[in-house]
Amino acid sequence: MAMRYVFVSGGVLSGLGKGVTASSLGVLLKSLGLRVTAIKIDPYLNTDAGTMSPFEHGEVFVLDDGGEVDLDLGNYERFLDITLTRDNNLTTGKVYANVIEAERRGDYLGKTVQVIPHITNEIQEWIERVAHIPVDGNGAEPDVCVVELGGTVGDIESAPFVEALRQFQFRVGRENVCFVHVSLVPVLGVVGEQKTKPTQHTVKELRGAGITADFLVCRSEEPLKAATKEKLALFCHVAEDHVFSAHDVSNIYHVPLMLEEQGATRLLCEKFGLDMSKDRPLLKQWREMAARVDSLEGEVNIAMVGKYTGLTDSYLSVIKALQHSAFSIGADMRITWVAAANLEPDAEKESPELYAKSWADLKAADGVLVPGGFGVRGIEGKAVAAQYARENNVPYLGVCLGMQVAVIEFARHVLGMEGANSTEFDEKTAHPVVIFMPEGSTTHMGATMRLGSRKTLLQNSGCIAHRLYGGAMEIDERHRHRYEVNPDMIEALEEAGLKFVGRDPEGQRMEIMELDGHPYYFGTQYHPEFKSRPNRPSPPFLGLVQAAVNRTNA
Ligand code: GLN
C-alpha cells in the first residue's frame, strides 16, 4: 500500500496542543490496524534540541539512538507506543546542514543553490525517507506517517516547510495526503459567542500558500456549536463534518475518543480510500484508560525538587511517568513543586517565609523526587532534600542528577567526607564522589554526552530493581549525562549501605543505587521517564509511587 501522510499544521497561536491532536489522529489510524509513525518539524535553526534550555523550550526528550529532540516526540512515543529515531525530528538546522554539505561536495555544480528547489527538495526527501523507517519493533515499514509542523503558519521560519508540503502532495499523490489545520475558537463577551474570525484568517493564510485544509481541528473551551461549525465550513472551504471540535476534556486520553465520536476515523478512511475495520481493540483500551483516570480514588503527593519549577513542560516526561504510575494503581497524582534553592540555608536569611513554606511542602509529601538537571544552582537544596528523605524513611527517587546529589549527601553525612561533591560543581573538592566520565568530546557541548540507550546489568536478584523490572537482569534505559559516581568510591559507599545494584557491562559505570534498610531510596544514572507508557509505567517511578502510597496507608 502507498504511504499515507497526515500533515498537521497550526494557526493563530502556539501551544494549542497540536502535538496531542497529531498523536491522537495517529492513535485513531493505529486503531484500524495500520502501522503509524510520526515526524516533528521544528523550524528553528538549532540542529537539535540538545543545546536548548528546558526553561525556554520545555524538556529535551532523549531517544534510544541518543537523539536529543523536541518533547513532542515523547508524546508520539507514548501515544503510539513506538520508538522513534533522531531523524524523526526535522529542523531547519539539519536541512541547511545537508544542503550546504552537498553544495561543498559539488553536488549542485554550476547551479545557484536556492530555497526553492534545493531546500524544499531536501525537506521532501527527508520526510519520504524517514516515513519508511520501522518504529514499532516488528521491523515492518509503517503505513501512515503523521507529520507535525511546529510553529504557526505564517511565521517566516516555517515558510520553506509549508512550501515543501504544498509540493509534496504532487510528489506522492493528493489522494495520499491529508492536511489537518489546528486553530483556536475563542469565546468573547457575556453571551459567550464562539468567534471564528481567527480561524478564517489562518485558513486563508494557509490557502494563500497553496494548501487547502481537509480538516479543521478547533481548540475551544466548550464543544463547538453547530452554528459555529457551519460558519467555519462556509468561510474556510471545508465540509461541515470536517470541522472538529477539540474542546477541553477531563483528561488527555479523551482526545482521540472525542475526535472518533465526531467521525474523524471514518472520514480519514474515506479520504485515503481505506476500509474501516469494525473490531478495534485499541479504542476499547483508550476508553478504559480515559474512564479509569476519571475515577481515581485517593491522592498521592510527590514533592518534585527541581530547578525549573515555573514551567512544567521542563519536566514533561517525568510528570507523565509519575501519572502513568499513579493511574496504574488507581491513585490521583498530585505533584508539589519545590524550588531546590528555597530549601537552602541561604534562603532562610533572604526569605524566611519562602524557606518555611518550601520545607513544609517537602515534609507534607508522601515521596520525594529529584529529577535530572545541569548547573550548580539548587544543588545544595537537592542534597538536603535527599538527606531529609534518607533520614526520615521517606520514599525517594533520584534521577541522574538526583542520584548524584544523593551520593554526595551520603558521602558527606554518613562517610564524613566533608565537602564531598561532584567535580561538575566543585572542581577542587577533596572528595570527588561524582566525576566527569564522558563518552564523547570534552570540548563541544552539542551531542557530546553519554546519550541514548545503554545496557545496565543487575548485580544480584535480591535487589528492588530486580523486582521492579519484572525479574529482568538486563535493562535498557536512556541516558543523558557527563558525570558519574566515582568508581574509586564505590567500596566505601557500599560498605556503609549504599549499594550499586545496577552497573554497565564493564562494571565501571554505576547505573542504579539502592539504600539498605530504607523502604525506597532509589537512584538511577539513566532517565527512566523517557520509556514510560500509559499502560507500562516506568518501573522506578512505579516503585516510588507504590512506596509513597504504602507509607500513607501504613
Ligand atoms: N549534570 C549531570 C551530568 O551531566 C546530570 C545530568 C542529568 O541529570 N541529566 O552528569
Side-chain angles (χ1 to χ4, degrees), residues 105-217:
R105 254 195 331 260
D107 290 8
Y108 312 115
L109 223 50
K111 294 266 186 297
T112 309
V113 183
Q114 296 182 295
V115 173
I116 304 171
H118 301 100
I119 294 294
T120 47
N121 281 351
E122 176 66 25
I123 295 168
Q124 293 179 72
E125 280 156 23
W126 187 296
I127 292 173
E128 215 178 350
R129 174 176 62 82
V130 173
H132 289 85
I133 300 176
V135 291
D136 64 0
N138 296 318
E141 283 190 7
D143 305 304
V144 187
C145 180
V146 178
V147 183
E148 177 192 349
L149 176 61
T152 37
V153 167
D155 297 347
I156 290 181
E157 285 190 329
S158 61
F161 292 101
V162 174
E163 169 59 13
L165 300 189
R166 185 195 66 76
Q167 293 175 22
F168 198 82
Q169 54 189 322
F170 300 107
R171 185 188 184 100
V172 298
R174 184 66 180 97
E175 68 283 8
N176 295 320
V177 173
C178 172
F179 289 105
V180 179
H181 195 56
V182 182
S183 175
L184 175 74
V185 173
V187 169
L188 273 194
V190 269
V191 283
E193 193 191 347
Q194 294 182 327
K195 299 304 234 179
T196 63
K197 194 67 92 188
T199 305
Q200 292 181 39
H201 277 299
T202 173
V203 170
K204 203 165 162 190
E205 180 121 39
L206 193 64
R207 294 182 68 203
I211 292 177
T212 305
D214 295 292
F215 296 99
L216 292 184
V217 175

Side-chain angles (χ1 to χ4, degrees), residues 125-413:
E125 280 156 23
W126 187 296
I127 292 173
E128 215 178 350
R129 174 176 62 82
V130 173
H132 289 85
I133 300 176
V135 291
D136 64 0
N138 296 318
E141 283 190 7
D143 305 304
V144 187
C145 180
V146 178
V147 183
E148 177 192 349
L149 176 61
T152 37
V153 167
D155 297 347
I156 290 181
E157 285 190 329
S158 61
F161 292 101
V162 174
E163 169 59 13
L165 300 189
R166 185 195 66 76
Q167 293 175 22
F168 198 82
Q169 54 189 322
F170 300 107
R171 185 188 184 100
V172 298
R174 184 66 180 97
E175 68 283 8
N176 295 320
V177 173
C178 172
F179 289 105
V180 179
H181 195 56
V182 182
S183 175
L184 175 74
V185 173
V187 169
L188 273 194
V190 269
V191 283
E193 193 191 347
Q194 294 182 327
K195 299 304 234 179
T196 63
K197 194 67 92 188
T199 305
Q200 292 181 39
H201 277 299
T202 173
V203 170
K204 203 165 162 190
E205 180 121 39
L206 193 64
R207 294 182 68 203
I211 292 177
T212 305
D214 295 292
F215 296 99
L216 292 184
V217 175
C218 300
R219 285 285 296 119
S220 58
E221 271 171 42
E222 298 291 327
L224 287 193
K225 296 180 182 135
T228 312
K229 283 195 177 185
E230 211 175 290
K231 194 163 176 191
L232 284 168
L234 189 63
F235 283 93
C236 300
H237 192 65
V238 279
E240 217 174 292
D241 61 352
H242 286 51
V243 181
F244 300 132
S245 163
H247 42 273
D248 293 352
V249 280
S250 51
N251 73 65
I252 198 171
Y253 302 116
H254 282 293
V255 180
L257 305 170
M258 165 168 70
L259 295 171
E260 164 75 20
E261 277 152 28
Q262 296 175 69
T265 319
R266 178 176 48 81
L267 294 167
L268 279 167
C269 283
E270 269 172 29
K271 161 79 202 155
F272 286 143
L274 299 169
D275 286 335
M276 175 99 169
S277 43
K278 290 196 183 59
D279 189 26
R280 295 159 65 199
L282 186 64
L283 269 193
K284 200 170 147 244
Q285 267 182 36
W286 278 77
R287 283 200 185 99
E288 280 165 12
M289 256 181 338
R292 181 154 23 98
V293 174
D294 278 342
S295 59
L296 300 168
E297 277 171 27
E299 193 179 77
V300 50
N301 176 4
I302 301 291
M304 180 101 122
V305 183
K307 177 163 145 186
Y308 312 108
T309 53
L311 185 73
T312 50
D313 265 6
S314 318
Y315 297 110
L316 187 66
S317 294
V318 173
I319 297 172
K320 292 290 171 196
L322 283 172
Q323 288 174 342
H324 297 160
S325 303
F327 297 165
S328 78
I329 54 174
D332 201 359
M333 187 71 237
R334 181 164 137 220
I335 298 173
T336 304
W337 297 88
V338 179
N342 293 341
L343 296 171
E344 295 171 4
D346 278 355
E348 191 175 13
K349 284 174 230 138
E350 270 168 42
S351 169
E353 302 82 37
L354 207 56
Y355 176 83
K357 161 109 180 39
S358 303
W359 272 101
D361 281 349
L362 183 71
K363 289 182 176 166
D366 309 315
V368 176
L369 195 155
V370 177
F374 296 84
V376 70
R377 185 158 66 89
I379 287 300
E380 294 304 322
K382 291 175 189 179
V384 288
Q387 181 182 9
Y388 158 78
R390 178 177 59 79
E391 290 176 346
N392 295 283
N393 283 333
V394 177
Y396 177 88
L397 175 61
V399 172
C400 205
L401 182 63
M403 162 158 139
Q404 296 173 1
V405 294
V407 171
I408 292 169
E409 179 283 310
F410 191 86
R412 287 179 188 170
H413 304 119

